[in-house]
Amino acid sequence: MPGNTQKPNGNMVTFLLNGAEVQADPNWSLLEAIQFYGIDIPTLCHNEGLTPYGVCRLCVVEIENGTRAKLVISCMHPVTGGLKVRTHSNRVIKTRKMIMELLIARCPGSKKLQDMASRLELKEVRFEPLNDDCILCGLCVRMCDEQMAARAIGFAGRGADRYITTPFDINSEECRKCGACMYICPVCELRCQGPQAETTLCSGCINTEPVCAQNFDDAMCFMVPCLSCVKGPDDVK
Amino acid sequence: MTIDESKLDSIINEYKAELGSLIPILQDIQAEYNYLPQEAMEYVAKKLVIPEVQVFGVATFFKSFSLKPRGKQQIHVCMGTACHVRGSKNVLGELERKLGIKAGDTTPDGEYTLETVNCVGACAIGPVVVENEEYHGQMTPIKVEGLLNNR
Ligand code: SF4
Ligand code: SF4
Ligand code: FES
Ligand code: FES
């Protein structure tokens, strides 16, 4: 799990994290504070080396400031004193699963998304799979701009037609072919090609001895728990 | 297409070459050329010192910008709710048939560009067709003839 390793400095604020009174640096985002205290919440478009972007919505948490509780994305929400934060309330878990379901329906071929869905114990996908190759997380765009200083790719179009591209949709001379965009893309890595590879949701592997290891030299995924390659209860050793 | 850089310079300089002026600059370029030539966008990116992909992103975001050359005559057919229920679909169909192009395209001779819009704020006189900023109300497939001077 990527943790927050920054040293707190300056004046600390006190807030309530899952019922426990904790302190955090007011310059941190809520996500950084949550990670600092070792709580694991899923994130997708967030990366420590890049500016927060707030598009995947997976890092959603419930906050209470006064009487009303509301859902916010933690990666772009500031930490303020007196805030009450719940990272695993029923409402949060339900919302997270819904977001995950939509993401999986868009890109069922992504290993990273399948692994995350499995962790969130997503059991079904009720949407028609799109088999797209991009979830528009913008990681590649920020990587190219902020770390590679090439600024060779970006978003074009809008709404449902938004997509990632090079200037004028042609081969860009700005691109150095460094591959950083592919390295960081959560959709580029293909999912496990095990027995149920054609279903929208691979649903995790239940075996401690992965079935895929019978067909391939190495286990193909590292899901907890390992479930995906099981066809019926008899297959479980 | 060759781009007259001094013309672009005078447009860009009018806005002091600031990042916030990207949209008005593109608008002025489009007014000049009727569309946004790629060379012009590359030049703007260079002058404003911003990535080309950012100019491209803005140009593709707004529907009012066109990346393809457009015809001398612009025909916009309103497809808004009010015009739709009064049969703008038939008007569009007739225009497409007469011009031999689909909405969004330009005739091969570069004369007409046909586009759809969603409400031009004149619902009371719908279906509306806007030809070169001139509004024509109560349009019917038959009246289309008169718009296109014998095509
Ligand atoms: S490969 Fe090209 S587009 Fe990708 S990060 Fe590197 S420079 Fe940017
Ligand atoms: S190409 Fe990959 S990294 Fe880039 S926006 Fe799409 S999913 Fe994200
Ligand atoms: S990690 Fe916060 S919105 Fe994506
Ligand atoms: S719907 Fe056509 S002008 Fe309003």
Side-chain angles (χ1 to χ4, degrees), chain A residues 151-159 162-163 165-170 172 174, chain B residues 37-38 41-42 49-58 60-63 67:
Chain A
R151 312 210 280 187
I153 45 177
F155 288 100
R158 74 166 149 186
R162 203 163 148 85
Y163 66 104
T165 187
T166 50
F168 317 112
D169 294 334
I170 51 175
S172 167
E174 313 285 330
Chain B
Q38 181 180 328
M41 286 192 276
E42 284 167 359
V49 203
I50 53 174
E52 283 177 5
V53 73
Q54 188 174 344
V55 180
F56 183 67
V58 169
T60 51
F61 186 89
F62 294 102
K63 234 190 144 181
L67 303 191

Side-chain angles (χ1 to χ4, degrees), chain A residues 10 31 40 45 58 66 87 92 98 111 113 117 125 154-155 160 179 202 223:
Chain A
L31 178 66
D40 190 10
C45 67
L58 267 178
T87 59
V92 169
M98 184 68 212
K111 168 166 167 53
L113 293 183
V125 176
F155 288 100
C202 79
M223 292 195 183

